Amino acid sequence: MIEAGAPTRTVDSSLTRAERLRAELADDIVCGRLAPGTALDETTLANRFGVSRTPVREALRELAAAGLVVHRAHRGAVVTALTEERLREMFSVMTELEALAAAGCASSMSPSERQQLVDIHDDAENLVRAGDLAAYAEANDRFHDCLYAGSHNSFLAETLLSVRRRVSAFRRAQFRSLGRLKLSHEEHDRVVQAVLRGDRDAAAREMRSHLETVRDSFLVFHDGL
């Protein structure tokens, strides 16, 4: 099992170079490898990742939209300081949206969609046993994607994907906490069982509890950096 604070990255190997650049920079910022105030030079980053400056600019724009960097006159992109208040605000919105999606799944998922959810959940269990942090992080995204689609509310799904993009680095970082993979899977299981029972209230409640734990796990991890 990966121990807390381990440097192992959780960036999806299937990402393009530009996407990997954004994801790795986000991980570096969230995990404290890039300190607040650090200038992010486009040329240096382009050389580091073997890309042109165009994808670097795109990545920096996305990181700015997520609140991880800020563009300052004469300095370019600079790493911002993470505030607990901002993180709590972001997770508060994410939690309620995910709870709404889980409730929708309990009443709207088709039999084939429910089976897909179970299959994704069962596959993730093997990754927990292997302690494969990177693969579990990818499986975690598939699990939540399945719930977004299963809510049969396209606007909600689009909104969730947009919000998740803002908090994805924080969600990945929480898996570095000792034992977090197993606990995350157990929390997912309670959501799955509620969905399979068709219990909207329980599905929303369990998802809300799950995301609140994700938030708290990240805050504990971040405080320990």
Side-chain angles (χ1 to χ4, degrees):
M1 185 67 72
I2 303 295
E3 293 186 352
T8 304
R9 294 182 183 276
T10 60
V11 178
D12 186 343
S13 60
S14 69
L15 296 177
T16 66
R17 285 184 176 182
E19 291 169 333
R20 189 175 299 117
L21 184 158
R22 177 189 55 78
E24 289 194 13
L25 285 176
D27 277 352
D28 284 345
I29 294 169
V30 168
C31 296
R33 291 185 289 268
L34 285 173
T38 300
L40 301 174
D41 178 72
E42 291 183 5
T43 301
T44 301
L45 292 174
N47 291 334
R48 171 185 168 187
F49 290 95
V51 299
S52 69
R53 292 176 66 179
T54 298
V56 172
R57 292 192 190 102
E58 179 182 348
L60 292 177
R61 282 197 298 268
E62 292 184 6
L63 291 171
L68 295 177
V69 305
V70 62
H71 290 278
R72 293 180 178 172
H74 311 300
R75 292 192 64 190
V78 177
V79 176
T80 59
L82 299 173
T83 66
E84 182 174 328
E85 179 181 6
R86 181 63 170 173
L87 287 171
R88 289 186 180 278
E89 290 174 347
M90 294 166 67
F91 270 101
S92 176
V93 172
M94 189 84 206
T95 295
E96 294 307 316
L97 291 174
E98 293 253 9
L100 184 59
C105 288
S107 57
S108 301
M109 262 188 161
S110 67
S112 62
E113 288 172 327
R114 292 185 180 204
Q115 185 58 53
Q116 180 185 22
L117 180 66
V118 170
D119 291 343
I120 292 171
H121 181 57
D122 288 346
D123 288 344
E125 185 174 8
N126 295 325
L127 302 176
V128 173
R129 292 196 184 102
D132 193 333
L133 185 154
Y136 185 84
E138 296 173 28
N140 181 68
D141 284 347
R142 290 194 295 273
F143 177 83
H144 287 275
D145 285 342
C146 186
L147 290 172
Y148 301 168
S151 70
H152 290 267
N153 184 323
S154 60
F155 183 76
L156 175 61
E158 292 167 7
T159 304
L160 272 164
L161 287 170
S162 176
V163 175
R164 189 176 76 188
R165 193 172 185 83
R166 299 282 300 272
V167 302
S168 61
F170 307 110
R171 294 178 73 156
R172 286 196 305 271
Q174 50 111 10
F175 293 130
R176 291 184 169 87
S177 297
L178 187 63
R180 183 62 196 139
L181 295 190
K182 182 175 184 295
L183 292 174
S184 174
H185 191 263
E186 290 173 353
E187 292 158 14
H188 281 186
D189 189 65
R190 290 192 285 272
V191 174
V192 170
Q193 296 309 316
V195 168
L196 295 180
R197 294 196 308 270
D199 189 334
R200 288 179 55 90
D201 291 342
R205 182 174 62 251
E206 295 298 347
M207 181 58 79
R208 190 175 289 110
S209 176
H210 170 54
L211 266 294
E212 288 171 350
T213 302
V214 170
R215 176 202 63 203
D216 293 344
S217 295
F218 171 74
L219 290 174
V220 170
F221 166 77
H222 190 257
D223 286 345
L225 292 177

